Every structure is written in structure tokens, then in C-alpha cells.
Amino acid sequence: LLGLAGRLVHDPALLEGREAGVTLLFCDVRGFSRVSEKLGPAGSLRWMNDVMSELSGLILAEGGVLVDYVGDEVMAMWGAPEDQPDQAERAARAALAMLAALPALNGRWEAELGVPTAIGIGVNTGPAQVGNAGSRFKFKYGPLGNAVNLGSRVQGLTKYLKRPLLVTRTTRERLGDGFLARRVVRVRVVNIAEPVDLYEVEAAGSEPRRQFFAESEAALKALEDGDFARAAHRAGTLLLQHSGDGPLLLVLSRASTALVQDGRGFDPVWEPPGK
């Protein structure tokens, strides 16, 4: 099969732009400023090159297009230039493989860094205009549109929800039985008009994990239905066994605040404190 460069040479019209249904993945490497201060420019370059090479190889292994590197972030795409009916599953597998690669990366770098390497990944599926997203001076084959902006915002929300991988409903609905997911929040994202349901995704696993996901979703639904005491009780009980779980902590915090305020002004759609 031709690589991206080969396909563009074979069919230059791809640069002219067309609408396509695509799945976007944004991955941010955490703590770059702290690490660069410790390692200096040369060491930071070696570290980032190793990390980006590892993550990029996993994206390419799932047939993804490497759209761009921006500082400590990589952006990838599935669904263009060739149609990929299983694009969401490819992106989810790539994301899970990227998380699974962290122990090996930390084995090479943690002693030198003093902290483990961590990443946050956001995935979204939707329509985009795909073509030359650069200029006549510098080509960049990639997507433009609301779906791209949303994917980037979802990646940013992994920091607030303390989960390394979040996907939107449009991606979740295209994942098959090989994946396990829980809805973690309905959120109003900056500059996106419609509220968005976000999900944590894992490879399908054990029955206890499936049960935990179901009970976590039940706590969230109780909160959104205005049953704040039940939501707080369910979230608090689950946290006894799942300490530090970001989505449950958010449910508990929102439910407790609503109880104190007798539900006044409660909005089932969460407003994050930042991007």
C-alpha cells in the first residue's frame, strides 16, 4: 500500500479538499516544561523524539495518518485519504496501545526524568474538510472543522477528569464488542454549542470491571436526574475501592454542592474550569 506521501503524489487532487467522515486523535505529553527545565534543550529533544517515535509508530500500525506535531502534542487521523469503516476502532486501539507503551518508555527515562512520562488522549469522530490545511508555501495534509476543535478540547479535559483517554459519543457508538466504555460526564465545551457526552474506553475485560463501569454510570445518572443524595452515596461507596477516580470524584463534588444548595442552579451539563 502507498504511504500518505505516495498517495498524494499519485493523486494530487487530494490536496484540494473534500468532506470526509474522520476520527481524530489528539495526544498530549504531560509535564513538558518541567522536564525540559530538568534535562535542558538537548536532553529534552532526545526524550521527546523517543516518546513521539514510539507513539507515532503505534498510530501508523493502525493505519492512521500523522497530521501534525505541535510542541508536546501529536495529532492523528483515520478515515482519509482512504475510507476506513473501522476508523473509530483503529483509533481506540492505537490510543490503548499508546497507554500500554508507557511502562517501556518509563523504563528508559524515569530515572533521568525523576517522574514517569504521562499522556492524555482525546478522540472524536465527525465530518471534516480534509485537504491541504497548510498554505501554498508549506503543505500539511489534514482536517479542518468543528470535529477537529472538539477532539482537541476532549484531550484537554483528560486533565480535569484524571483519566488518560476520553472519547466522544460519536466515537463510542462506532466501537464494537472488543471495547468496554463508561459515560463519565456530559460537558459544555468552550466554543462548542451542543453539550457532549464523554466516555472512558478500555479493552473489553473482566466482569468486575464491567460492573464497576455500570455502577459508575448509575451514579452519574442519579446526579443528572437530580437525586443528589443517591449520587453522592453511590459515588462515595465506589471511591472506597477506586480511590482517586476522577469521574467519581466529580460526581461526588457536584452532588455534594447541589445538596448544600438545595439543588438551586444545578445544571446536569458540567462546565469545566478551563479548556
Side-chain angles (χ1 to χ4, degrees), residues 132-140:
N132 179 22
S135 69
R136 62 189 178 90
F137 298 103
K138 181 176 175 61
F139 290 122
K140 183 179 79 172

Side-chain angles (χ1 to χ4, degrees), residues 233-251:
H233 175 72
R234 283 185 164 178
T237 300
L238 289 170
L239 281 165
L240 293 174
Q241 298 297 322
H242 302 274
S243 177
D245 183 84
L248 289 173
L249 287 170
L250 181 60
V251 169

Side-chain angles (χ1 to χ4, degrees), residues 44-55:
S44 299
L45 188 63
R46 287 190 298 108
W47 170 63
M48 188 56 64
N49 182 264
D50 189 21
V51 172
M52 288 300 184
S53 295
E54 187 79 26
L55 301 182

Side-chain angles (χ1 to χ4, degrees), residues 105-117:
L105 280 168
N106 285 324
R108 297 197 292 271
W109 287 99
E110 189 167 357
E112 190 171 349
L113 300 182
V115 294
T117 298

